[in-house]
Structure formats: C-alpha cells, structure tokens
Amino acid sequence: MLELRLPQGGLLKKVLEAMRELVTDANFDCSRSGISLQAMDSTHVALVALLLSADSFDHFRCDRSRSIGMNLNCLAKILRCAANDDVLTLKADDDSDTVVFIFENPKQNKITDFEMKLMDIQSEHLGIPEAQYQAIIKMSSQEFARICKDLSSIGDTVVISVTKEGVKFSTTGDIGSANIVCRQNTTVDKPEESMIIEMNDPVSLAFALRYLNAFTKATPLSNSVKICMSSDLPVVVEYKIAEMGYIRYYLAPKIEDDDQT
Amino acid sequence: MLELRLPQGGLLKKVLEAMRELVTDANFDCSRSGISLQAMDSTHVALVALLLSADSFDHFRCDRSRSIGMNLNCLAKILRCAANDDVLTLKADDDSDTVVFIFENPKQNKITDFEMKLMDIQSEHLGIPEAQYQAIIKMSSQEFARICKDLSSIGDTVVISVTKEGVKFSTTGDIGSANIVCRQNTTVDKPEESMIIEMNDPVSLAFALRYLNAFTKATPLSNSVKICMSSDLPVVVEYKIAEMGYIRYYLAPKIEDDDQT
Amino acid sequence: MLELRLPQGGLLKKVLEAMRELVTDANFDCSRSGISLQAMDSTHVALVALLLSADSFDHFRCDRSRSIGMNLNCLAKILRCAANDDVLTLKADDDSDTVVFIFENPKQNKITDFEMKLMDIQSEHLGIPEAQYQAIIKMSSQEFARICKDLSSIGDTVVISVTKEGVKFSTTGDIGSANIVCRQNTTVDKPEESMIIEMNDPVSLAFALRYLNAFTKATPLSNSVKICMSSDLPVVVEYKIAEMGYIRYYLAPKIEDDDQT
C-alpha cells in the first residue's frame, strides 16, 4: 500500500510544470524515505532529478518500494482539476496498475477522485557523485529566468562567466551581441533578491539556452536558484521545494567548437 | 413601433455570449409582455430559451407583436462597441427591415448609433410543458462551470447522479476515470455558494459534456444555476437574469448504449 | 561620437511600438538638436514623423550629424530586455557600423549591454510645410483608439465630420452602418478626457481605418491626441511625447469615388 497526503495540492502542479517541458513519461520511485525521480529529457542531453522527502508529507505510508510510471501530460490533466488549496491524497494498492488521486476542498463539501492507469517505463538510475564545484551562484530565480529569456531573443548559446565581482551572461546572434553583468549583492531586507557567489576558481562555460529556459519552468517553486559550475562537470541548476526537497537539472557545457544550435 | 431602453448595455452582451456558441441566427419574439427567444443549436440537440420581461426595461413599447431575426455574430460585433455602463436603446419601425441600436455613455457626451439589417429566419416555436422533476439542484454557477470544464479534460460524457446527500458527476476516458461529489450545503452567509437539492426520487442521467460546457457560457449572468432532472425528460439548466427573466437550456439525456461522442 | 542617456528606458519601447506596425527599417537622424525620423509605411500611403529633442535627454552628445539605420524588429528584441525603469544609454562611434545599448537597473547591480549592427537604408526627407487647418480636434487618445477599433468591426472607411458642436465618425459595411458622435466637452477636473474643437470651416473627410488603427499604437505615449484636418491636405494625427517631442502620422484622405478597401 502506498498512501500519501499533501495539504496543498497546488504544490504538485508546480512540480509537474517544472518537468513537463523536458520529460513526457517518468517513473516516480517511492520508498519509505519519500519520492524521487530521475529522467533524461527526450534529446538525452539534460537530466532532471526530483526529491520529495517522506517526512514533509502530512501523511506518508509506503509498505514496499516501487516505481510508479506516469505520463506527465495525463497527470497534468488530472492535477489541473485540483484547486491550489485542495488537500491531495494519492493511493495505490501494491499490485494495482492504477493510482487514485483524491482532492478535497477546504470547506469539505466537494471531493474529487481520479483513477489513472499506470505505465511501464524502462529507466535506469544514474549515480550522481557529490562534487566540489569551482563556483556556486545563488541568485533570484526570477532574475535568472528573465536573463535566460532575454538572451534567447538574441542568441542560442549563453556563456556564463563567474568572477569574484559578479556573473556575466553573454550571447551572440545575427542581430548582434549581448552581455548581462550581475554584481554580487547581499540585500539583507530582501534575501530573495540577493546574489551570492562562492568561488574557488573563476569559471566560464557555454550552455544551450533552450535547456536553461526549460529549467526556469521551476521558478514558481522557489524564490532563489543555485547554479553550480565546474569546467569538467555538468552544471547543476537547483530549486529548493519549500521544506520538502528539491528539483535539480543537470546539463553538460557546450564544447567551444560546438555548432551554436 | 418597437422601442426599448436598458440602463446597462453590458447585460445584453452577457445574454448574447450565453447563446452564441450554440446559435448563429435567431428570432427575438417581441410582444407587449417582453422579448422571448427559442432556438435549437445547429446540431438540433440542444434548445435555448430566453425571456426578458417588458416591465424590467426602463422603457418598453411594442405596438405590434413581431419577430426580429438577427445574426448573432453581427449583433455581437455591434454590442462589442458598447461600454458596459452605456444606456442602450433599441428601435425598429413596424415595417422596417432594419433595427437601430443607440448607445449613450453616462457622461452623455458620446452617442453611438448602429443600423443593422434584419434577417428572415424560419423557426417554429415548441411548446414546452411544465413538468414535475425527480430532482432539482441549485448550486453555484461557477462551481458547475468548473466541474464541466474539469471533467471534459478526462471524458466526453458526464453521468450526473442525485441522491439526498449530494450530487455525483462522473466521467471516463482514455487516461482513467473521475468522480466529483458535491454535498448539500446551505451556507447562510454566502448563499451563492450553497448547494440545495430538492429530490423526489434518486436520478442518474448521462449528458454530452460539450453541450453542458456551452451552457456554462451563461455563468456571468447569475451566481447560481438550477438543474432540473427526470429520467424521461430533457434536463433543464436555468440561469436567472437579474430581475429581468432567465435563459434556459434543454438537453436530452444520452441513452446508455450511446457512443461516447 | 554619439552618446545619449534616457532615465526611463520604457519610453523608448513605447516609441518603437508606435512605429513598428507601419515601418520595418528606418533611419534615425541624429544631430545636435536631437533625434528625428521620417518614414513612409510599406504601402507608401502613410508617413510617420518622430522628434525627440536633445535637451529632453539626461545627457545628449552628437559630435557629427548622422543617420543611424536600424531594423525596428531587431531594436524591439533588444528593448524588450530593458525593464521600464532601467536607465538607457545609447553609444555609437562616428565611424562604427554598430550601436551599443546599455541598460542599468535602478539598484545598479545589473548592467546589460547590446551591440547591434546598423543598416544602410535609402531614404529621402520630405519637407512638410506648416499649414493652416480647417479644423483641429483635441481629444482623449484612448477614446480615439476605441472609436477606430469599434468602427473597424463594421466597415473599412471612416468619415470624420467636424462641426462646431462635435465630431461625427461614420462607417458602413455589410452588416449595416454606424455613427459615433462626440460632443465638445471641456472637463476641467480631468483635462485628458476633454474634447476641444478649433474650427474655421466645417470639414468632412474619409480615411482608411486600417491606417488610423495603426496610428493608435501611439496611445500609451500620451493621454490626448491632436487631429488636424483640411480638405486639401493629409490629416495629421499627433501624439505628444512627455516633454520630449512628438510622433506625427500623415494620411491622405480617400477621394469619394475610391473603392472602400
């Protein structure tokens, strides 16, 4: 028996929107410690990793570890029927090939239940080793989203360069070139607007903007985003999920001779 | 001579939007008692009936009963030019094949008039006998609209089942099945959110969601909707129009062996 | 060296939106007195003229008069990256074939620079003689935009007739005809809503609504619009730009025998 209960159904909608542009079908790995997910995007270039820890649920019971395969578009259709403040319960019998979603409104006079068919999805779990990064940027998630969107109207690739003073985002395209420089800035009264740079070595890496733009769909989940960079490692773009866990995106840097596509 | 005056032109816009998805051309039957309209939708499955009583107008004069045939898309183009708080006057000479709309803004420094050609539309008036219904549901019109929209993302047909305790809306589709249960609920402080069930017999009927969704275009006209159901009768979905009259939709239930289209 | 600085970058966005529907490529003529622009629309029917005077900039330096040719769609892509309250600086070396835009946010922790390629655009400057007009209308720019939009849902051509009492806008189309009459009105408490008519002779002229609708893209630049009409001259539709200058549109009236297209 798997049974879990979230007081704010709206959160799961946001988690789903954060993945849906990259991943269509995915296995949610359920165990006593919580729910995790790992999925490559359809072009096998970016990796999404999700963690929702068991103790952050109102109620969490998972008798037997199992993977629940879902089509995220079907899941989105169902979650769209939940109001943001509905209490959400998810139930699956151990041998069942369906999962049941129950939404209860706060006034408790409306109960919605959905039974959704599960899918058999082949997936392998990659071990992602802990790493030491040359530079870690913590910045406003909205600012990061804005920068990625703005630069994509000029070019396809962004070069992110980190120095002690700040971060430079650069791109080039047919109509010209653009640089956005953000200075380190630790506003105490609005911590969500601060930009903090932890740097061991200066680092400068190029990434395809279309993936970064897909990652920024997680912006509603968190006020800030953490970007971990090293020359020889995929970048990690991490959004914390309100005391529950995180969603992380991994993307390999472009090699200098790469086509700018 | 036909001449009528509405202090809030915006109301007529809402009435029009409530019909336009189902009906393209329609006869407005004008008589001393007011304006009524009856029209089948283009697939001849649903019926719309409108009543605006004469005494609810600021001014109402109708010397001779007549039918005024209008194309509702043309009418919509004209009404779109009226601000919601414009005073609206409609005039038609008895033998004229045009009708004149006059919009006056509240500050009375802008007057707009439109002369629109009338149409000859063949239509028959169906007598709809008063009936005794097995169950009558009164509920929030927004809640009803939300339920119909949510269920259409899962299936094509909704089964509405009424018992003393509440109403269940159910559907099934490729991705699974859904049930929404609303309990009777007579909130005194917010009567527009209450759900009241008057039931003689339990009843359970199936309807095509696309028609119910079209009916919910009348939601801006009223906070609540009345749904009258009997096994052997078309369902009536009624929205009251602010002390003026009503718009009613009639739809035959689906027979159990119907294709789910 | 050309260098200019605008405290509110958002203003330039609005100027651009006011031209972009009519003009794709345009020369900005820069001189010590400021920036001006003159461009025909692609159908060679309407003329746009822009003036931004040098002393209205925070800082304005132009060592040598020159024309800066830009593609307005590229310029729009760049300006879209500026927040409305960013300080905008534009720089071009005298022999350079690029121009640099710099946006600084008010908190001064984010600096964006764009280098855009310039274009060689052939253009002639028309001398527009000062003229005496039969009638000059000053009215709310929003009201004018609303009227042009409303009438285009009925017909293609508007006849604007000015008398001492007011202005009548008329059109005719397949579904009927429409007249909008605005009376002179000098509201003292809301001067932006007033309509003032200065008239030497009554005048009545016909114009293609699609051009007038394109002119109304300048509505966000000014609360009021000035319309200057004479039987033998193109109409001038002028929007003042907040103490900086103006944008003016010129359009020849339709001759009575014109097709209404």
Side-chain angles (χ1 to χ4, degrees):
Chain A
M1 181 70 174
L2 171 71
E3 187 172 299
L4 57 90
R5 201 176 147 92
L6 254 184
Q8 298 269 317
L11 182 70
L12 207 57
K13 285 196 207 186
K14 292 183 191 168
V15 169
L16 193 67
E17 291 309 314
M19 302 193 294
R20 217 149 67 86
E21 190 164 320
L22 293 167
V23 181
T24 310
D25 300 317
N27 275 326
F28 291 80
D29 301 317
C30 305
S31 72
R32 246 164 229 166
S33 61
I35 297 179
S36 65
L37 172 151
Q38 225 191 52
M40 296 296 291
D41 84 293
S42 60
T43 62
H44 284 260
V45 171
L47 178 79
V48 186
L50 171 75
L51 179 76
L52 299 173
S53 76
D55 50 10
S56 58
F57 286 82
D58 244 28
H59 167 76
F60 193 95
R61 175 181 162 190
C62 179
D63 299 342
R64 185 168 66 77
S65 292
R66 62 181 292 208
S67 282
I68 290 192
M70 300 199 216
N71 176 287
L72 300 194
N73 292 327
C74 294
L75 184 55
K77 281 185 184 176
I78 287 174
L79 290 182
R80 226 175 279 140
C81 302
N84 285 333
D85 53 357
D86 279 358
V87 175
L88 187 154
T89 305
L90 185 151
K91 281 186 193 179
D93 283 329
D94 277 347
D95 306 314
S96 170
D97 61 349
T98 63
V99 62
V100 175
F101 293 89
I102 302 165
F103 308 144
E104 288 163 276
N105 71 343
K107 280 195 285 175
Q108 296 191 291
N109 54 16
K110 182 180 171 190
I111 299 177
T112 306
D113 68 86
F114 292 94
E115 184 161 15
M116 190 175 89
K117 289 169 198 155
L118 294 178
M119 298 175 72
D120 248 327
I121 300 167
Q122 294 291 337
S123 71
E124 345 160 41
H125 202 88
L126 305 178
I128 300 166
E130 284 292 311
Q132 185 78 8
Y133 288 93
Q134 287 173 268
I136 295 175
I137 308 163
K138 204 173 142 278
M139 66 184 289
S140 150
S141 61
Q142 285 190 25
E143 189 66 83
F144 180 62
R146 177 80 207 258
I147 289 170
C148 292
K149 182 168 157 282
D150 283 351
L151 292 182
S152 356
S153 69
I154 311 292
D156 300 318
T157 301
V158 61
V159 176
I160 307 181
S161 311
V162 189
T163 63
K164 276 223 157 62
E165 288 71 39
V167 184
K168 184 165 81 174
F169 302 85
S170 309
T171 194
T172 303
D174 291 342
I175 66 169
S177 63
N179 301 290
I180 301 178
V181 175
C182 296
R183 294 206 197 98
Q184 172 138 232
N185 147 39
T186 52
T187 321
V188 183
D189 53 331
K190 290 193 181 175
E192 72 276 16
E193 290 182 6
S194 66
M195 168 176 251
I196 298 162
I197 300 167
E198 288 171 35
M199 200 194 71
N200 297 315
D201 284 304
V203 60
S204 176
L205 297 169
F207 301 100
L209 276 163
R210 57 174 289 216
Y211 293 104
L212 296 189
N213 273 314
F215 301 169
T216 63
K217 300 291 182 215
T219 304
L221 282 169
S222 179
N223 284 326
S224 68
V225 58
K226 197 167 88 176
I227 304 164
C228 308
M229 291 168 64
S230 270
S231 313
D232 46 355
L233 288 172
V235 65
V236 187
V237 178
E238 176 183 299
Y239 297 83
K240 290 255 181 267
I241 303 172
E243 294 168 38
M244 293 198 72
Y246 58 75
I247 185 162
R248 286 182 189 153
Y249 304 91
Y250 297 83
L251 176 67
K254 288 186 131 188
I255 310 304
E256 250 178 72
D257 291 323
D258 263 16
D259 282 354
Q260 306 270 324
T261 22
Chain B
M1 180 74 177
L2 172 71
E3 187 173 299
L4 57 89
R5 202 176 145 92
L6 255 184
Q8 299 267 318
L11 180 71
L12 206 58
K13 285 196 205 187
K14 291 183 191 165
V15 169
L16 193 68
E17 290 310 314
M19 303 192 295
R20 219 150 65 86
E21 191 164 321
L22 292 167
V23 181
T24 310
D25 300 317
N27 276 326
F28 291 80
D29 301 317
C30 306
S31 72
R32 246 163 230 168
S33 61
I35 296 179
S36 66
L37 172 150
Q38 225 191 52
M40 297 295 291
D41 84 294
S42 59
T43 62
H44 284 257
V45 171
L47 178 78
V48 186
L50 172 74
L51 180 74
L52 300 172
S53 76
D55 51 9
S56 58
F57 286 83
D58 243 29
H59 166 75
F60 193 95
R61 175 181 162 189
C62 180
D63 299 341
R64 186 168 66 77
S65 292
R66 62 182 291 206
S67 281
I68 290 191
M70 299 199 218
N71 176 287
L72 300 193
N73 291 327
C74 295
L75 185 55
K77 281 185 183 176
I78 287 175
L79 291 181
R80 228 175 275 139
C81 302
N84 286 334
D85 54 358
D86 280 358
V87 175
L88 187 155
T89 305
L90 185 151
K91 280 186 195 180
D93 284 328
D94 277 349
D95 305 315
S96 170
D97 63 345
T98 63
V99 64
V100 175
F101 292 88
I102 301 164
F103 308 145
E104 288 164 275
N105 72 342
K107 280 196 284 173
Q108 295 191 292
N109 53 17
K110 183 181 171 192
I111 299 178
T112 306
D113 67 87
F114 291 94
E115 184 161 14
M116 189 175 89
K117 289 169 198 154
L118 295 178
M119 298 176 71
D120 249 327
I121 301 167
Q122 294 290 337
S123 70
E124 343 159 43
H125 202 88
L126 306 177
I128 300 166
E130 284 292 311
Q132 187 77 9
Y133 288 94
Q134 286 174 268
I136 295 176
I137 308 161
K138 206 174 142 279
M139 67 184 290
S140 150
S141 62
Q142 285 189 26
E143 188 65 85
F144 179 62
R146 177 80 207 259
I147 289 170
C148 292
K149 182 169 158 281
D150 282 351
L151 293 182
S152 354
S153 69
I154 311 293
D156 299 318
T157 301
V158 61
V159 175
I160 306 181
S161 310
V162 190
T163 63
K164 275 224 159 60
E165 289 70 39
V167 184
K168 185 167 82 171
F169 302 85
S170 308
T171 193
T172 303
D174 291 343
I175 67 170
S177 64
N179 301 292
I180 301 178
V181 176
C182 297
R183 293 206 197 97
Q184 172 139 233
N185 146 43
T186 51
T187 322
V188 183
D189 53 332
K190 289 192 182 176
E192 72 275 14
E193 290 181 5
S194 66
M195 169 177 251
I196 299 161
I197 300 166
E198 288 170 35
M199 200 193 71
N200 297 314
D201 284 306
V203 60
S204 177
L205 296 169
F207 301 101
L209 276 163
R210 56 174 290 217
Y211 293 104
L212 296 188
N213 272 314
F215 301 168
T216 63
K217 299 292 181 213
T219 305
L221 282 170
S222 179
N223 284 327
S224 68
V225 59
K226 197 167 88 177
I227 304 163
C228 308
M229 291 169 63
S230 269
S231 314
D232 46 356
L233 288 172
V235 65
V236 187
V237 179
E238 175 184 298
Y239 297 83
K240 290 255 181 267
I241 303 172
E243 294 168 38
M244 294 198 70
Y246 57 76
I247 186 161
R248 286 183 188 151
Y249 303 92
Y250 297 84
L251 177 67
K254 288 185 132 190
I255 311 304
E256 251 178 70
D257 291 323
D258 264 17
D259 283 352
Q260 305 271 322
T261 24
Chain C
M1 182 72 179
L2 171 71
E3 187 173 298
L4 57 90
R5 203 176 145 92
L6 255 184
Q8 299 267 318
L11 181 70
L12 206 58
K13 285 196 206 185
K14 291 184 192 167
V15 169
L16 193 67
E17 291 310 314
M19 303 192 293
R20 219 150 65 87
E21 190 163 321
L22 292 168
V23 181
T24 310
D25 300 318
N27 276 326
F28 291 79
D29 301 317
C30 305
S31 72
R32 247 164 228 166
S33 62
I35 296 179
S36 66
L37 173 150
Q38 225 190 53
M40 298 294 291
D41 84 293
S42 60
T43 62
H44 283 259
V45 170
L47 178 78
V48 185
L50 172 74
L51 179 74
L52 300 172
S53 76
D55 51 9
S56 58
F57 286 83
D58 244 29
H59 167 74
F60 193 95
R61 175 181 162 190
C62 180
D63 299 341
R64 185 168 67 76
S65 292
R66 64 182 292 205
S67 282
I68 290 190
M70 301 199 216
N71 177 286
L72 300 193
N73 292 327
C74 294
L75 184 54
K77 280 186 184 176
I78 287 175
L79 291 181
R80 227 174 279 138
C81 303
N84 286 334
D85 54 357
D86 279 359
V87 176
L88 186 155
T89 305
L90 184 151
K91 281 186 196 181
D93 285 327
D94 277 348
D95 306 315
S96 169
D97 61 346
T98 63
V99 63
V100 175
F101 292 88
I102 302 165
F103 308 145
E104 289 164 274
N105 72 342
K107 279 196 285 173
Q108 295 190 290
N109 54 17
K110 182 182 171 192
I111 299 178
T112 306
D113 68 86
F114 291 95
E115 185 161 13
M116 189 175 88
K117 288 169 198 154
L118 294 178
M119 298 176 71
D120 249 325
I121 300 168
Q122 293 292 337
S123 71
E124 342 160 42
H125 202 87
L126 305 178
I128 299 165
E130 284 291 311
Q132 187 77 10
Y133 288 94
Q134 286 173 268
I136 295 176
I137 308 162
K138 206 173 141 277
M139 66 184 290
S140 150
S141 61
Q142 285 190 25
E143 188 65 83
F144 179 63
R146 178 80 207 259
I147 289 171
C148 292
K149 182 168 156 282
D150 283 350
L151 293 182
S152 357
S153 69
I154 311 293
D156 300 318
T157 301
V158 61
V159 176
I160 307 182
S161 310
V162 189
T163 62
K164 276 222 159 60
E165 287 71 38
V167 183
K168 185 167 81 172
F169 302 85
S170 308
T171 195
T172 303
D174 291 344
I175 68 170
S177 63
N179 300 292
I180 301 178
V181 175
C182 297
R183 293 206 197 98
Q184 173 137 233
N185 146 40
T186 51
T187 322
V188 183
D189 53 330
K190 289 192 181 175
E192 71 276 13
E193 290 183 5
S194 66
M195 167 176 253
I196 298 162
I197 300 167
E198 287 171 35
M199 200 193 71
N200 297 314
D201 285 305
V203 59
S204 176
L205 296 169
F207 301 101
L209 276 163
R210 57 174 287 216
Y211 293 103
L212 296 189
N213 273 314
F215 302 168
T216 62
K217 299 291 182 217
T219 304
L221 282 169
S222 179
N223 284 326
S224 68
V225 60
K226 197 167 88 179
I227 304 164
C228 307
M229 291 169 63
S230 271
S231 313
D232 46 356
L233 288 172
V235 66
V236 187
V237 178
E238 177 184 297
Y239 296 83
K240 290 255 180 270
I241 303 172
E243 294 168 38
M244 293 198 72
Y246 58 75
I247 186 162
R248 286 183 189 151
Y249 304 91
Y250 296 84
L251 176 67
K254 288 185 132 191
I255 311 303
E256 251 179 69
D257 291 324
D258 265 17
D259 282 353
Q260 305 272 323
T261 25

